[in-house]
Amino acid sequence: MDESEAERLLERMRGGDVRALARLLSWVEQLAPDRVRFLARLHQLTGHAATVGFTGPPGAGKSTLVDRFTAVLRGRGESVGILAVDPSSPYTDGAILADRIRMGRHSGDRGVFIRSVGTRGSRGGLMRSARALVEVLDAFGKQWVLIETVGVGQTELDVVRIAHTTVVVLVPEAGDLIQAMKAGLMEVADVFVVNKGDRPGAAQRAAELRAAVELNARADGWSVPVLVTRADHDQGVAELAEAVGRHREWRARNGSPHAAFHRRSEFLDLVADQIRQRAEARLGSAAFEHLAERIERGEESPYSLVLEALEAGLVAPIAVPASTAPIAES
Ligand SMILES: Nc1nc2c(ncn2[C@@H]2O[C@H](COP(=O)(O)OP(=O)(O)OP(=O)(O)O)[C@@H](O)[C@H]2O)c(=O)[nH]1
Ligand SMILES: [Mg+2]
């Protein structure tokens, strides 16, 4: 697929064509140089969707909660896109991890679009793919984009940073809270949920979390709500939707103090991606092969060969190809 075909798909997608949406998602997921210009123009069509990240340890009930949250939004007639991000999963291209994503009930609902994203090599690569996917769903017209991550590693924290509001889902078991704190979840949570409220210790865990939240009062002034839910029985989900709504309004008024920093570091990463991809595109050229053979022999310093490659312009960024027609705002 080339850029002009992507634009035709975009037009169909803007008209509500879900197959065009699915194909575009697959295309932008790989942030190849030829897709970046398209994304740059697509970005002008975005900024309307509210994005919510759900993270927390495996099995905490994130998918169940996303599913019930989706039901609340659909009850209000609002459209929803869901991204299930699993860094450890080899599945890509929209393969749905059916047993992981307990959202079967929305499968016949045209107002809900579910997509899963698997590994993308580097952790930053996955985050940037996920952001591109969110932007496509936003441009499609989804009013909400929910992002579920599996696990609580650095990748997951990076991914939830894409979201305007981050919901951290824990369970009553004590070890979980300690793990969460170690993993840095205190810093990313805009809303805490203690799910599986039917289990012993839920109220105590919530009280501990509230104390921790008070102790770590946020510099930006948002006071992080702590909710107890029982997602499988639909309990506490309306309160969660209310808390997310409140955070969204608060953020619209106050902005996010971290946003500028994250935008800057993400920009640098994108630049580095592009340079790397362009450099890789030159692998195999005669000049590069000549250098590579010298590196393989191991007789010369790799550092001096790097300098030589740079000086020879072998890895220098290449001019960006000419643009095609601009995307019409509609
Ligand atoms: N007892 C109880 N079980 C629940 C509750 N919410 C969800 N579950 C169950 O917990 C299990 C895990 O739920 P999921 O929604 O798949 O959890 P998850 O966090 O998405 O799991 P991963 O995506 O694998 O990390 C399922 O069997 C759910 O039915 C709850 O409030 N109480
Ligand atoms: Mg899940």
Side-chain angles (χ1 to χ4, degrees), residues 25-88:
L25 287 170
S26 301
W27 191 64
V28 302
E29 196 179 344
Q30 276 118 50
L31 290 171
D34 63 334
R35 293 155 215 203
V36 170
R37 186 193 305 283
F38 175 80
L39 283 168
R41 274 176 290 136
L42 181 87
H43 186 77
Q44 296 161 18
L45 306 173
T46 67
H48 308 291
T51 54
V52 187
F54 290 78
T55 191
K62 300 177 294 293
S63 298
T64 313
L65 215 49
V66 166
D67 175 76
R68 300 321 304 152
F69 191 78
T70 298
V72 171
L73 300 173
R74 294 299 295 139
R76 297 190 210 147
E78 293 164 357
S79 59
V80 182
I82 299 169
L83 286 181
V85 180
D86 185 351
S88 64

Side-chain angles (χ1 to χ4, degrees), residues 108-301:
D109 180 352
R110 286 185 59 81
V112 179
F113 184 91
I114 304 174
R115 175 85 173 198
S116 63
V117 200
T119 178
R120 271 280 163 259
S122 72
R123 72 171 228 230
L126 183 57
M127 178 191 62
R128 290 188 287 286
S129 293
R131 178 181 294 284
L133 299 179
V134 168
E135 297 226 323
V136 174
L137 288 166
D138 187 343
F140 177 72
K142 289 297 182 194
Q143 289 162 292
W144 293 83
V145 178
L146 312 182
I147 307 164
E148 177 190 345
T149 67
V150 173
V152 285
Q154 190 56 49
T155 312
E156 289 78 1
L157 294 185
D158 284 345
V159 168
V160 293
R161 284 205 179 96
I162 301 169
H164 299 139
T165 301
T166 298
V167 178
V168 173
V169 185
L170 302 173
V171 288
E173 284 70 26
D176 231 56
L177 179 56
I178 296 161
Q179 277 309 112
M181 288 178 164
K182 278 194 193 150
L185 290 179
M186 288 308 288
E187 289 81 61
V188 298
D190 298 309
V191 177
F192 269 116
V193 168
V194 178
N195 188 43
K196 308 200 179 181
D198 48 311
R199 288 195 185 166
Q204 192 197 333
R205 208 59 60 214
E208 284 168 14
L209 263 175
R210 282 190 195 102
V213 160
E214 251 174 65
L215 213 66
N216 299 280
R218 278 179 31 168
D220 61 11
W222 169 251
S223 78
V224 178
V226 178
L227 309 169
V228 177
T229 61
R230 194 176 170 191
D232 63 340
H233 281 59
D234 231 346
Q235 289 168 13
V237 182
E239 289 79 0
L240 173 62
E242 190 271 331
V244 168
R246 261 193 310 119
H247 180 259
R248 189 184 171 198
E249 283 163 21
W250 176 89
R251 196 183 142 121
R253 280 196 311 275
N254 297 278
S256 164
H258 300 305
F261 170 79
H262 291 308
R263 276 200 281 268
R264 173 185 283 256
S265 69
E266 218 185 313
F267 167 68
L268 290 177
D269 288 344
L270 266 176
V271 171
D273 273 2
Q274 292 300 310
I275 291 175
R276 188 187 172 92
Q277 285 182 12
R278 282 152 202 253
E280 282 172 354
R282 293 204 161 181
L283 302 183
S285 73
F288 192 92
E289 278 311 306
H290 180 65
L291 264 184
E293 281 161 23
R294 286 165 59 199
I295 291 164
E296 284 168 10
R297 282 198 292 277
E299 290 156 10
E300 292 170 78
S301 151

